[in-house]
Amino acid sequence: MAEIVNVHQAEAWNGYEGRHWADHHDRYDAVNGGGNEALLDGAAIGPRDRVLDIGCGNGQVTRLAARRARLGGATGVDLSGPMLARARALAEEEGVQNVTFEQGDVQVHPFGDGVFDVAVSRAGVMFFADPVAAFANVRRALREGGRLAFLSMAPLGETDLGTVLAALPRREEPPVGHDGPLSLSDPGRVREILEGAGFGDVASRRVEAEQVWGRDARDAAEFFAAWGPIRYNYGESDAIVDAVADAMRPFERAGAVRLRGRSLLVTARR
C-alpha cells in the first residue's frame, strides 16, 4: 500500500471496524443501499466511462457503476484490507469483470492526472484527515469536465435513526467541522471544501431512503450495537441492546426493521 496520512482511520478499517463490515457486507448494504440509484443517477455514468469509487468498502457501488460503464470500467479504492478482499470476492462471484480494487489513502494516492471520467462515493468521504487536500487529489484524477457525486450523512434530527440514537445515554455529537460522520452534513461547508479543492458547479440536495437494519427489533439491535461507532462509545452491553431494541420496535413492519434515512447528495465538476 502507498503512503498513508490518515493513520487513525487506517487502523480502524484494518481492525475491528473493517472486519465487521466485511463479515456483514450484506447487512450494511441493506442499511446503505437505498441511496444507490440517486447516487449513480447523479453521477450520470455513461457506458464508456472510467469510474473511481472513493472509499469503496465492500464494493457494491463499484460493481453497480461498472455495470453502467459496461464498455469502460470502475476502480474502487479503500483503506481497508478486509473489505477489499470481500469486494474482490463478490465481484468474482457476480461475474463483474471490468472492476479493479486498490488499497490506498485517497488523500495521497497516486492516481495520475485525468485518469477517470467520474468519481463517486457512498458515505466514504467524511473521514479525510485534510478534506481539501483529499478532494484536490480526486480532482486531479478526473479529466477536464469530469464529474464528482457522493452521498454523505445528513443531520440526524427528525430522522428515524436520530430517534433510535436518542434512546441511548447522551453523547455529545462531534462538531460539523470534525472529520467524522457529520463532517460533510452542511451544504455550505461542503461547497467551501470543494471549491477550495478546485471544483465548480457544486450542488447538493437531500435524499431520503429506507434503511433495513434487521428482521426484527432484537436482531436489528444486536447488529446496531456491534456497529463500530456504537461499540466504541458504549462498549458491549446487554443494556444497550435492550435500549436499542425498545427504540426499534415501533419500526418493525413487513418482516424487517425499516428506518427512514437521510443523506446529502453532492455533485460537482472539474
Side-chain angles (χ1 to χ4, degrees):
M1 183 165 53
E3 180 187 0
I4 297 294
V5 295
N6 208 344
V7 176
H8 174 71
Q9 291 296 326
E11 290 173 352
W13 291 108
N14 286 288
Y16 171 84
E17 187 88 359
R19 292 192 301 272
H20 195 263
W21 279 69
D23 291 344
H24 300 281
H25 63 92
D26 52 344
R27 298 195 64 156
Y28 280 110
D29 285 339
V31 171
N32 296 312
N36 288 347
E37 289 300 309
L39 171 63
L40 296 172
D41 288 348
I45 297 169
R48 297 184 182 277
D49 278 344
R50 302 158 298 167
V51 184
L52 170 64
D53 185 7
I54 307 163
C56 66
N58 295 309
Q60 185 186 53
V61 168
T62 323
R63 300 190 305 276
L64 292 172
R67 289 188 175 98
R68 292 195 178 204
R70 63 187 183 278
L71 301 177
T75 298
V77 178
D78 202 282
L79 285 168
S80 176
M83 294 174 78
L84 288 170
R86 180 69 66 188
R88 294 184 183 105
L90 289 169
E92 182 175 359
E93 180 182 313
E94 295 177 11
V96 183
Q97 297 181 345
N98 60 335
V99 293
T100 58
F101 294 98
E102 301 176 7
Q103 189 172 15
D105 185 336
V106 168
Q107 183 172 319
V108 293
H109 194 69
F111 294 111
D113 189 36
V115 177
F116 299 100
D117 301 293
V118 57
V120 299
S121 182
R122 187 183 74 187
V125 293
M126 295 102 70
F127 304 95
F128 293 133
D130 183 338
V132 174
F135 281 112
N137 197 37
V138 170
R139 179 186 175 277
R140 282 190 293 271
L142 292 171
R143 64 166 173 79
E144 200 66 37
R147 304 174 304 283
L148 169 69
F150 66 79
L151 289 171
S152 57
M153 184 178 286
L156 297 175
E158 299 181 7
T159 67
D160 296 341
L161 181 58
T163 299
V164 171
L165 289 171
L168 298 176
R170 180 71 176 171
R171 289 289 190 276
E172 184 177 348
E173 286 189 357
V176 168
H178 184 74
D179 60 340
L182 296 176
S183 66
L184 297 178
S185 62
D186 176 65
R189 182 168 189 267
V190 171
R191 175 180 293 276
E192 180 181 339
I193 289 170
L194 291 181
E195 290 181 348
F199 280 97
D201 296 335
V202 180
S204 61
R205 66 179 178 89
R206 296 285 175 87
V207 173
E208 289 197 358
E210 184 177 79
Q211 300 177 330
V212 178
W213 281 91
R215 62 180 179 272
D216 56 39
R218 190 72 189 182
D219 175 62
E222 290 173 350
F223 174 59
F224 186 87
W227 179 30
I230 303 301
R231 185 175 182 267
Y232 176 82
N233 283 295
Y234 297 100
E236 298 179 76
S237 165
D238 288 341
I240 293 299
V241 175
D242 291 342
V244 173
D246 288 343
M248 285 188 164
R249 201 157 283 116
F251 301 104
E252 289 180 330
R253 58 184 174 82
V257 172
R258 304 172 187 274
L259 304 184
R260 174 177 51 93
R262 182 182 295 160
S263 300
L264 195 68
L265 173 60
V266 178
T267 57
R269 189 176 294 272
R270 172 172 175 170

